[in-house]
Amino acid sequence: MLRSCAARLRTLRPGELWSFSSEKVTPKDYAVPNPSWSKDLQFLFDQFMKKCEDGSWKRIPSYKKTLTEKFKDFQTRFLEPSHIKEEYMSKAQLFTRSLEDGMGFEYVMFCNDVEKKVVCLFQGGPYLQGAPGFIHGGAIASIIDATVGMCASRTEGFVMTANLNINYKRPIPLCSVVVINSQLDKIEGRKLFLSCNIQSSDEKTLHTEATGLFIKLDPKKRLT
């Protein structure tokens, strides 16, 4: 028994935990504090966790890989079997979770499904640098897309980005903490219109404003 457990531990991928009670691999949730989090990020996290106590807000778990059940559902509805190459998919990771702790995207999202809002607390690490000392605009676009996309999917399920319109107001200092506020504004058929802004943790600086158009995927139509 001990030998088999030791062998299993040696073969675990980074980010996976072994559950001895269920004999299944339990994915690691990255939307929780780790040693790279600054005091500002930890403080905001604690504030939002208090908001979750009455059930109006919820913390959204985040993993490096798409959970098996969700991936199979997406694959069955929208992908041709020939499109799935196991050699690539076994190595695939969520882009915003692909860098080591503290070096890239450190974030946690909270949702209020009644108000159709998602808030992302974001700390951009040194690997996201663009202009010296500031976060790259592409990295900012990525975390905006992830946040408003989550907001859209909480309402309509599987969606994909059709358009992002981003206005960069003030650059975001590297390793600082910002708050991304997103909300669903309206729905027209399969079109979802959303808006968001990025503010400094003290709410004194407006860094970015953006709008997004997302399309609810049609299960009758394949993507490939």
Side-chain angles (χ1 to χ4, degrees), residues 41-161:
L41 184 54
Q42 181 69 60
F43 175 74
L44 290 174
F45 176 83
D46 292 341
Q47 281 192 322
F48 266 89
M49 289 302 293
K50 289 181 180 179
K51 289 185 178 183
C52 294
E53 293 176 359
D54 65 2
S56 59
W57 287 85
K58 298 177 182 177
R59 183 185 68 85
I60 304 174
S62 179
Y63 310 99
K64 281 194 173 183
K65 289 178 172 287
T66 304
L67 296 181
T68 303
E69 296 80 6
K70 186 175 181 180
F71 174 76
K72 287 184 177 179
D73 190 18
F74 186 88
Q75 178 181 355
T76 301
R77 293 187 185 194
F78 306 112
L79 300 180
E80 295 291 345
S82 60
H83 181 76
I84 303 299
K85 299 185 183 298
E86 294 297 335
E87 63 210 271
Y88 301 134
M89 296 308 299
S90 63
K91 301 176 183 178
Q93 296 185 24
L94 184 66
F95 171 59
T96 54
R97 292 296 185 194
S98 61
L99 298 174
E100 58 189 281
D101 287 353
M103 295 293 102
F105 298 87
E106 287 296 332
Y107 66 95
V108 55
M109 296 184 190
F110 293 87
C111 65
N112 185 318
D113 291 333
V114 174
E115 297 181 4
K116 301 188 186 319
K117 294 180 178 179
V118 168
V119 172
C120 176
L121 311 178
F122 171 58
Q123 174 182 300
Y127 286 3
L128 302 185
Q129 180 173 253
F134 295 98
I135 297 176
H136 193 288
I140 296 171
S142 294
I143 197 66
I144 287 175
D145 187 35
T147 304
V148 293
M150 177 62 71
C151 189
S153 66
R154 296 288 304 183
T155 301
E156 292 294 319
F158 291 115
V159 299
M160 294 191 79
T161 313

Side-chain angles (χ1 to χ4, degrees), residues 18-33:
W18 180 253
S19 172
F20 292 95
S21 61
S22 63
E23 296 295 315
K24 292 182 180 181
V25 173
T26 303
K28 178 180 177 180
D29 182 359
Y30 284 84
V32 292

Side-chain angles (χ1 to χ4, degrees), residues 3-24:
R3 289 180 180 177
S4 63
C5 290
R8 175 57 189 155
L9 287 172
R10 287 195 296 270
T11 59
L12 283 177
R13 299 187 182 94
E16 291 182 339
L17 297 176
W18 180 253
S19 172
F20 292 95
S21 61
S22 63
E23 296 295 315
K24 292 182 180 181

Side-chain angles (χ1 to χ4, degrees), residues 187-206:
I187 300 176
E188 295 180 356
R190 290 171 50 224
K191 295 180 180 180
L192 289 81
F193 298 85
L194 299 100
S195 59
C196 85
N197 64 64
I198 301 180
Q199 295 181 311
S200 57
S201 58
D202 61 8
E203 300 183 341
K204 293 181 179 180
T205 303
L206 176 62

